Amino acid sequence: MNVTRGFTGRPRVRNAALPPGQYDAGDDWPVLSAEVTPELTPAEWSLRIDGLVEEPRGWSWEEAHELPGSVYEGDIHCVTSWSKFGVRFGGVSLDAFLHMVRPHVSATHAVAYSHTGYTTSLPLADLTGGRAWIAWEYDGRPLAAEHGGPARLLVPHLYFWKSAKWIAGLRILDHDEPGFWEQNGYHARGNPWEEQRYRGD
Amino acid sequence: MTEAAETFTPPTRFAVPGRIAVSEQAAAVWQTATITQVRRETPHAATFRLAVPGWAGHLPGQHLMLRLTAEDGYVAQRHYSIASAPDDSGHIELTLDHVEGGEVSGWFHTVAEPGDTVEVRGPLSGFFAWPGDRPALLVGAGSGVVPLMSMVRHHRARGLDVPLRLLVSARGPEELIYAREYGAETTPVFTRRAPEGVPVGRMAAAHVAPLLAEQPPGGWEAYVCGSNGFAEHASRLLVAAGQPVHRIRIERFG
Ligand SMILES: Cc1cc2nc3c(=O)[nH]c(=O)nc-3n(C[C@H](O)[C@H](O)[C@H](O)COP(=O)(O)OP(=O)(O)OC[C@H]3O[C@@H](n4cnc5c(N)ncnc54)[C@H](O)[C@@H]3O)c2cc1C
């Protein structure tokens, strides 16, 4: 341990819900995106899933909203060290979309991409089993553009750079293909509980 | 070729600049850095010079992760942009704003002195980096000028002749970080207080328009850095003035 002289840190209460190295951002919701926030209306938004699937297809805003709704209530964690407790997102479970395209048995990974061109790569297992959403509501209101509205991917059990804002599609693959931050030195999986921040963690 | 064997191309040209590679090794290893000098920049900002013997080198615009450890094992980690130009001095510089109630910047501004050690990891993220090969239009506010200054210093140190312009916003002249170092490439914008004869007000279309009017052949790569509010405002000004969205890189300090 490399103790820093005179550093005590803030008085803190041990919080078992906080992954290592994270702090509670409280009411703040920092914005961290590398691109210009796109002005994308629901009418212009669409989602496409293709690659190693039986039936590649796309959904318009209306078509996506016809699927059964699903809510995530819980915490989110950003690699830049803030966590946010008790957030509530509304949308549709990604399982509902994947069920319709039927990934091949050989499928293992996905690249999620945004209407801006941002990409992030994920193991398929992290996107199934009720752990990922296409979300368009936050706290009962339409998701703000700077937070990824009209719709973003939501994978709350991984660092938030995996939850691609302005989600445009998923390409299903049989190998890992690093996305934007993954190519920039970030970890392939990004599990906050194991502090998988950067490649090599 | 099967679909899965193709390399996936995102639907726009906004992508990682292929010309910049990030060292896996450097991003993964924590190194001990020793503070060798502290320089006051403004009442709220100071520059900390660090000796990092194993520093792998960086590109202007990159940042690092810094961590402080308390005696009970508590750790605080924050991102800081690198202020110095790449060189072979074995040192790098960081410029920190004193954030009110800030855990890490508070330690730097009230405790740290030469001889103290901290840990760093990096450099990280090639996205915001500028290797000096393309005309660059830099737009920053507050401590957001830090990674941009690394670019300006690099430009000078190497005597590069690729065009470079810096538009920097501060509340007043006394809060303008690196004020003494700016040259003809820089236009300061003062939002609250300005010297006699200089207008006061936030960055506007009128500041951006002339820079886009005198565009170099091939156009600018734009780099925007500051708080999220500033980044949203400045990037919209650039888009409105005609800068293509996929040639605007943004670093948001939160
Ligand atoms: C890529 C990147 C590059 C950056 N580069 C720079 C740079 O070059 N220079 C620079 O100055 N900054 C930079 N930053 C910002 C920097 O990372 C820190 O956010 C900043 O220094 C504040 O950290 P801190 O520990 O001092 O404050 P924090 O302790 O994080 O506090 C920040 C604010 O939140 C409040 N707060 C947070 N947690 C708590 C809590 N538990 N209890 C009470 N209040 C709390 C504080 O009161 C304060 O107002 C950069 C950020 C990024 C993402």
Side-chain angles (χ1 to χ4, degrees):
Chain A
M1 199 164 76
N2 214 324
V3 174
T4 315
R5 183 188 65 85
F7 177 70
T8 50
R10 243 188 217 107
R12 51 199 170 267
V13 266
R14 180 83 199 95
N15 186 345
L18 212 50
Q22 297 291 110
Y23 72 91
D24 178 1
D27 292 335
D28 273 3
W29 188 0
V31 175
L32 292 142
S33 34
E35 67 267 61
V36 178
T37 302
E39 286 172 29
L40 191 67
T41 64
E44 290 161 329
W45 180 85
S46 61
L47 179 76
R48 180 173 171 81
I49 305 185
D50 60 18
L52 292 177
V53 297
E54 297 299 333
E55 224 169 300
R57 65 159 288 179
W59 292 264
S60 67
W61 183 255
E62 283 74 28
E63 287 163 346
H65 280 68
E66 280 161 19
L67 298 173
S70 170
V71 164
Y72 169 71
E73 264 179 301
D75 310 332
I76 56 175
H77 313 286
C78 176
V79 70
T80 61
S81 303
W82 56 266
S83 292
K84 200 167 165 53
F85 292 132
V87 298
R88 185 185 158 93
F89 284 95
V92 169
S93 168
L94 198 61
D95 290 318
F97 294 95
L98 289 170
H99 180 73
M100 295 172 74
V101 297
R102 287 175 286 131
H104 291 173
V105 283
S106 62
T108 57
H109 289 79
V111 177
Y113 57 95
S114 296
H115 284 272
T116 60
Y118 172 86
T119 56
T120 184
S121 44
L122 301 111
L124 197 53
D126 282 313
L127 292 173
T128 52
R131 298 201 295 168
W133 287 258
I134 299 296
W136 41 67
E137 266 177 27
Y138 178 75
D139 228 0
R141 281 200 286 274
L143 183 63
E146 62 177 10
H147 293 302
R152 74 182 297 161
L153 178 64
L154 177 70
V155 193
H157 68 285
L158 300 179
Y159 283 128
F160 226 44
W161 89 78
K162 298 285 185 181
S163 294
K165 295 178 181 184
W166 315 295
I167 186 76
L170 291 168
R171 162 77 56 108
I172 309 298
L173 304 167
D174 61 4
H175 60 280
D176 186 19
E177 200 172 283
F180 180 77
W181 288 118
E182 293 82 10
Q183 286 174 47
N184 269 299
Y186 283 54
H187 197 274
R189 177 141 189 265
N191 178 352
W193 295 97
E194 297 182 5
E195 272 206 277
Q196 294 170 338
R197 296 176 193 275
Y198 302 105
R199 216 180 282 163
D201 280 345
Chain B
M1 209 156 70
T2 69
E3 239 183 330
E6 291 168 27
T7 294
F8 176 68
T9 313
T12 72
R13 283 176 291 165
F14 175 87
V16 180
R19 66 199 199 278
I20 297 168
V22 174
S23 152
E24 294 196 22
Q25 185 71 28
V29 179
W30 286 105
Q31 300 184 59
T32 300
T34 307
I35 299 175
T36 59
Q37 195 191 64
V38 182
R39 282 200 319 269
R40 181 137 299 282
E41 300 283 357
T42 71
H44 296 287
T47 294
F48 299 84
R49 188 168 175 82
L50 304 170
V52 196
W55 189 245
H58 64 277
L59 288 168
Q62 284 190 293
H63 63 262
L64 51 67
M65 181 75 125
L66 184 141
R67 93 176 162 193
L68 304 183
T69 307
E71 262 181 51
D72 62 359
Y74 172 79
V75 162
Q77 303 189 29
R78 301 288 186 274
H79 292 284
Y80 291 103
S81 297
I82 299 157
S84 45
D87 61 29
D88 52 14
S89 66
H91 289 71
I92 52 169
E93 292 185 354
L94 307 179
T95 301
L96 272 70
D97 225 1
H98 191 172
V99 174
E100 199 170 326
E103 201 168 45
V104 173
S105 66
W107 179 84
F108 270 94
H109 279 269
T110 60
V111 179
E113 50 185 52
D116 283 331
T117 58
V118 298
E119 287 175 290
V120 297
R121 177 181 195 188
L124 302 169
S125 178
F127 173 70
F128 200 71
W130 180 70
D133 57 347
R134 297 185 187 173
L137 176 56
L138 317 178
V139 187
S143 60
V145 74
V146 174
L148 309 180
M149 194 59 193
S150 176
M151 301 176 190
V152 172
R153 287 169 168 161
H154 181 62
H155 192 262
R156 284 192 197 147
R158 296 289 159 96
L160 302 177
D161 51 19
V162 50
L164 182 89
R165 295 283 181 283
L166 171 63
L167 207 49
V168 55
S169 173
R171 287 189 188 169
E174 72 294 342
E175 289 189 38
L176 183 63
I177 301 175
Y178 314 127
R180 289 178 311 272
E181 288 183 61
Y182 297 127
E185 78 291 321
T186 299
T187 311
V189 178
F190 298 113
T191 58
R192 306 266 176 87
R193 295 166 302 279
E196 278 287 313
V198 178
V200 176
R202 69 176 194 157
M203 200 174 281
H207 295 108
V208 177
L211 295 166
L212 284 162
E214 57 159 284
Q215 245 181 100
W220 298 108
E221 293 291 323
Y223 292 79
V224 176
C225 187
S227 66
N228 180 54
F230 175 79
E232 285 292 301
H233 174 67
S235 61
R236 285 209 190 105
L237 286 179
L238 287 170
V239 173
Q243 175 70 12
V245 281
H246 66 275
R247 294 184 67 186
I248 302 177
R249 296 163 196 284
I250 306 180
E251 186 101 281
R252 301 169 202 251
F253 282 4

